[in-house]
Each structure stands twice: as structure tokens, then as C-alpha cells.
């Protein structure tokens, strides 16, 4: 199930911080700016909402972390989730199988980043797109979602991430084209 909040300025941050586990509150407060605190809190609250709706779990989840930092919920190894946030939105996806999600703001990019992270076909897609900035972020979120699903995180060979997959990530561009998110669950 997908839980999304793209109105991250519409809640009281102090009230939200009080609803977080101590572990997540400490993580959120490590952000120096309010925006980071808000998006971190929003993502966690989406997880809490999803756990309540999908599994009837009302306690505040505490995380354990895998080898490369992928979080899991202590005491609930059968529940898989992934969270992401950017300037415009926070998202959380819950599942009974490993899942990855990434959300990113649409913004200007540099050709050097395209050359480092995209293969020739993807670079051509970006160049030919009506909105190259949106296309770059679409491809980037797809790659991140795949890597987060596997628990690997960013790797050296970003160009090959989307090659030879049994299925492709699902991607959504917000109506106002401010952000893009992708979900991967093979």
C-alpha cells in the first residue's frame, strides 16, 4: 500500500515530533533545517498510518537496520516497507515482500550527472524528452527504488541498474510536475 503526503507544511511539527518513536525523533532532529525535520517526521507518520490501517499495529515502530542500512521493523520481520522524502513530499510503501521507493523533487540537472548515472539509451531518452528534467528524475527514482528494494543503496555502476530486470518500477509524476516517485517490487 502506498501512503503519500505532499502537504508537508500543513501540520504542526512539534505535535508530529511528539508522535514519533524516540529513535525516529532523534533522527528527525539531526536535520539542521525545518524542512528535513518535517519530511522525516512525515515519512514516519505515514508508516504509522499504514501499519495501523493494514496490520492493526498501533505501537510506534522501532527500526533495525540491514547490512547496507535498509530498515526493518523490530518484532515484525514479515512486514516490509520503504520510505523516502524530498522537498515536496514524503512517501511510505508497505508490503508483504521487499519493496523499494524513491521520491525526488524535479530540478535542474547537470550533463555530467547524466553521463555518470545513465546508460546511452537512458541519456537519449532524457535528451529527447519534452521535459528533460522530469525524465532524468523519473529514471533516477526508478534506479533508487530498485537499489533500495534490494537493500544495496547507491552503487558504482548506476548505468546498469535498470538492465535485465524481470519487471520495471512503477513511476508517477505529480500532476504539477514538482516531484516524481517510483516503486519497485519484483
Amino acid at each position: 500500500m502506498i501512503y503519500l503526503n505532499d502537504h508537508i507544511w500543513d501540520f504542526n511539527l512539534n505535535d508530529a515530533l511528539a508522535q514519533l518513536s524516540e529513535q525516529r525523533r532523534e533522527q528527525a532532529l539531526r536535520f539542521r533545517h525545518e524542512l528535513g525535520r518535517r519530511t522525516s517526521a512525515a515519512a514516519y507518520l505515514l508508516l504509522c498510518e499504514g501499519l495501523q490501517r493494514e496490520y492493526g499495529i498501533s505501537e510506534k515502530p522501532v527500526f533495525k537496520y540491514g547490512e547496507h542500512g535498509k530498515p526493518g521493523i523490530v518484532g515484525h520481520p514479515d512486514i516490509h516497507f520503504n520510505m523516502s522524502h524530498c522537498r515536496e513530499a514524503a512517501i511510505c510503501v508497505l508490503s508483504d515482500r521487499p519493496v523499494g521507493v524513491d521520491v525526488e523533487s524535479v530540478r535542474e540537472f547537470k550533463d555530467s550527472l547524466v553521463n555518470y548515472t545513465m546508460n546511452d539509451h537512458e541519456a537519449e531518452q532524457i535528451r529527447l524528452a519534452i521535459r528533460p528534467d522530469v525524465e532524468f528524475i523519473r529514471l533516477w527514482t526508478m534506479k533508487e527504488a530498485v537499489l533500495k528494494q534490494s537493500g544495496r543503496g547507491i552503487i558504482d555502476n548506476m548505468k546498469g541498474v535498470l538492465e535485465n530486470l524481470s519487471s520495471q518500477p512503477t513511476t508517477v509524476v505529480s500532476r504539477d510536475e514538482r516531484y516524481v516517485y517510483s516503486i519497485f517490487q519484483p
Side-chain angles (χ1 to χ4, degrees):
M1 298 306 298
I2 302 166
Y3 293 87
L4 176 74
N5 179 352
D6 59 3
H7 298 283
I8 57 174
W9 293 98
D10 292 353
F11 63 86
N12 181 296
L13 180 57
N14 288 330
D15 290 347
L17 290 170
Q19 296 176 50
L20 308 184
S21 69
E22 183 178 334
Q23 177 194 47
R24 186 61 177 201
R25 187 172 29 260
E26 287 174 5
Q27 290 173 337
L29 291 173
R30 284 190 200 121
F31 286 93
R32 294 191 332 197
H33 301 287
E34 182 179 355
L35 177 63
R37 292 175 180 185
R38 283 186 165 279
T39 56
S40 178
Y44 183 86
L45 292 175
L46 291 171
L47 173 62
C48 292
E49 178 184 351
L51 289 171
Q52 176 62 47
R53 285 186 180 186
E54 307 301 322
Y55 300 96
I57 297 171
S58 58
E59 68 262 13
K60 297 173 186 176
V62 174
F63 301 150
K64 61 180 179 179
Y65 295 93
E67 179 183 351
H68 299 288
K70 184 172 181 169
I73 302 170
V74 172
H76 298 281
D78 54 326
I79 299 174
H80 299 272
F81 75 97
N82 206 230
M83 303 182 299
S84 184
H85 50 83
C86 66
R87 297 181 69 81
E88 282 72 34
I91 190 167
C92 178
V93 179
L94 289 101
S95 179
D96 59 354
R97 303 185 330 237
V99 63
V101 66
D102 188 45
V103 63
E104 298 287 341
S105 303
V106 174
R107 61 192 176 279
E108 189 176 333
F109 62 90
K110 296 181 180 180
D111 287 334
S112 61
L113 189 56
V114 171
N115 294 335
Y116 181 71
T117 61
M118 303 293 164
N119 64 35
D120 291 342
H121 175 72
E122 294 162 346
E124 185 70 10
Q125 281 180 254
I126 294 166
R127 279 192 287 281
L128 296 175
I130 294 169
R131 290 282 311 270
D133 54 345
V134 172
E135 185 64 9
F136 173 78
I137 294 300
R138 187 183 75 80
L139 290 165
W140 178 263
T141 61
M142 290 172 69
K143 291 176 183 236
E144 279 264 357
V146 167
L147 293 170
K148 289 176 73 178
Q149 182 273 339
S150 70
R152 290 184 293 170
I154 301 294
I155 60 172
D156 289 336
N157 179 21
M158 290 296 289
K159 291 180 179 189
V161 171
L162 299 178
E163 296 172 356
N164 303 316
L165 296 175
S166 60
S167 62
Q168 290 292 305
T170 302
T171 302
V172 175
V173 178
S174 68
R175 289 183 187 168
D176 57 8
E177 296 185 332
R178 291 182 307 135
Y179 64 88
V180 177
Y181 70 84
S182 292
I183 300 168
F184 184 64
Q185 186 171 44

